[in-house]
Amino acid sequence: MAAGTENLRSIGLFRSMLRIRLIEEEIARVYTEGEMRCPVHLSIGQEATAVGACAPLLRDDLVVSTHRCHGHYLAKGGDLTAMIAELHGRASGCCGGRGGSMHLFDDAAGVLASVPIVGSNLPLAVGAALAISQRAESKVVVAFSGDGAVEEGAMHECMNFASLHALPVIFFVENNLYSVYTRIDERQPARDLSKLGLAHDMLSVHIDGNDVVEVARTMRQCVDRARAGGGPSLIVADTYRTLEHCGPNVDDDLGYRPPLEVSSWTARCPLGVLRDRLSMDELLSPEAEETMRAEIALEIEVAFRAARSGPSPSPTTLGDHVFAASVASLEARP
Ligand SMILES: Cc1ncc(C[n+]2csc(CCOP(=O)(O)OP(=O)(O)O)c2C)c(N)n1
Ligand SMILES: [Mg+2]
């Protein structure tokens, strides 16, 4: 491939990570105003996994995400205006304002679902991959999860089933070392998480999740393999969240993360890693980054303005999507 194309790709990866970063920073900045009532699990520091994982995907390919879904949704091309409206509980939100931050989806962009019950998105991903396989389509599915989901039975059932049926699904574990306040070595035996994929006889790799180019390269191999009928794979990508588990603040004063661990990961911010490389190759100047920031800031401003002024769902729609024969029939039950 021409070096120029590769360079353009890397600049695109940087822009995509920067966009996610700036959107989440804006959410964090205005969160305490109370206009967004849903909990928010921000992925600042983890942008390379979302962007790298989605880089080789086509629009028709699917992703299934978790409670920490903003980056996945945006990297896959989910609509920003509908996302910000959803966080504001507006009728124009991607879930009609009923879901909030942890329920982002966008059919047109291939964001099939985001589910906050840890591990429960994985059967949805495998089910979608089974449907793709039965219809002999060439799409692939990415099943995102955190390291905490590895402790759920669903993860292992899904890997077993996907391997047995050679399904086109990539299990992508973002290993940020923590499930809320508990470090992985207090929750799991000392092991390389990617070995779990080998136990299910699938291609398994363990990578640096803060190097977006490495993530994208690895994903391309897994995606090509899945499209060619080679079956599922497991990618474990090491990364780190900068903020508290849920909310807009830094909570390292609580002392659950060793300061040296925090500082070493912060020094390897995925944007910084790629910025350094692009600058060294004279592919990204501070002025070019400023232009990107200004363009993205405008987009963010428009989305937030629309969300703030949009209507809430009408009270008359309260019973919509409630699957019961009628309230009267429920009340009639003994
Ligand atoms: C089945 C289940 N158990 C517990 C929770 C509460 N919970 C929400 S997020 C979370 C941590 C998940 O950790 P991980 O999978 O590593 O994702 P991360 O938050 O680190 O991105 C927990 C325990 C939940 N949502 N679902
Ligand atoms: Mg985690």
Side-chain angles (χ1 to χ4, degrees):
M1 183 190 305
T5 315
E6 201 58 64
N7 291 344
L8 279 178
R9 273 212 183 129
S10 296
I11 294 166
L13 294 175
F14 181 82
R15 191 184 198 285
S16 193
M17 291 198 295
L18 181 64
R19 181 169 177 266
I20 294 170
R21 173 72 58 92
L22 295 180
I23 291 165
E24 290 209 307
E25 281 181 351
E26 182 63 5
I27 293 169
R29 192 182 71 80
V30 298
Y31 191 70
T32 50
E33 291 171 9
E35 295 293 325
M36 290 173 275
R37 302 294 179 90
C38 56
V40 286
H41 299 77
L42 300 174
S43 58
I44 293 177
Q46 302 191 183
E47 295 86 354
T49 44
V51 169
C54 292
L57 301 182
L58 303 175
R59 191 128 177 115
D60 278 353
D61 293 326
L62 301 173
V63 302
V64 184
S65 184
T66 66
H67 55 288
R68 204 174 299 287
C69 58
H70 299 171
H72 307 150
Y73 173 94
L74 292 166
K76 186 63 176 65
D79 184 276
L80 175 64
T81 311
M83 167 183 161
I84 301 300
E86 187 59 41
L87 268 63
H88 284 76
R90 301 301 186 210
S92 58
C94 59
C95 268
R98 289 170 156 78
S101 154
M102 296 185 277
H103 293 277
L104 301 184
F105 84 100
D106 186 332
D107 273 346
V111 185
L112 183 65
S114 305
V115 189
I117 306 302
V118 172
S120 69
N121 61 328
L122 302 170
L124 298 182
V126 170
L130 179 63
I132 288 167
S133 168
Q134 288 180 341
R135 293 177 190 147
E137 294 172 344
S138 67
K139 296 190 265 188
V140 303
V141 185
V142 179
F144 283 107
S145 74
D147 48 296
V150 172
E151 290 138 39
E152 296 289 342
M155 175 99 199
H156 303 277
E157 293 174 42
C158 284
M159 287 201 287
N160 179 65
F161 188 87
S163 183
L164 188 65
H165 297 279
L167 300 182
V169 56
I170 293 125
F171 296 93
F172 194 106
V173 178
E174 295 175 297
N175 177 19
N176 63 8
L177 300 177
Y178 288 83
S179 172
V180 193
Y181 298 125
T182 315
R183 203 175 191 283
I184 192 163
D185 46 15
E186 292 176 55
R187 307 180 342 247
Q188 300 186 25
R191 60 184 174 190
D192 177 346
L193 288 187
S194 66
K195 295 264 164 64
L196 295 168
L198 295 179
H200 292 287
D201 194 28
M202 65 177 78
L203 176 70
S204 304
V205 274
H206 190 166
I207 58 169
D208 176 1
N210 276 19
D211 180 345
V212 69
V213 175
E214 181 178 345
V215 178
R217 195 186 306 124
T218 309
M219 263 303 282
R220 180 162 299 283
Q221 287 166 3
C222 295
V223 166
D224 289 349
R225 189 170 184 273
R227 276 201 222 289
S233 32
L234 170 68
I235 298 177
V236 177
D238 296 337
T239 185
Y240 210 69
R241 67 172 153 76
T242 307
L243 302 180
E244 59 190 337
H245 165 70
C246 178
N249 302 308
V250 172
D251 67 351
D252 288 316
D253 55 307
L254 297 178
Y256 69 100
R257 305 200 293 189
L260 262 180
E261 179 185 283
V262 175
S263 58
S264 69
W265 277 99
T266 312
R268 293 206 63 258
C269 156
L271 278 128
V273 168
L274 186 55
R275 182 187 292 113
D276 288 351
R277 211 177 291 157
L278 292 173
S279 309
M280 212 168 354
D281 295 343
E282 297 185 5
L283 293 171
L284 182 72
S285 64
E287 295 74 32
E289 182 174 339
E290 264 323 302
T291 306
M292 280 183 197
R293 284 176 178 269
E295 288 165 1
I296 295 166
L298 194 62
E299 196 194 353
I300 293 173
E301 195 189 324
V302 170
F304 272 80
R305 202 179 316 126
R308 287 203 177 98
S309 59
S312 298
S314 161
T316 61
T317 65
L318 191 63
D320 291 1
H321 316 298
V322 176
F323 298 100
S326 71
V327 175
S329 72
L330 287 177
E331 283 171 349
R333 280 188 191 171

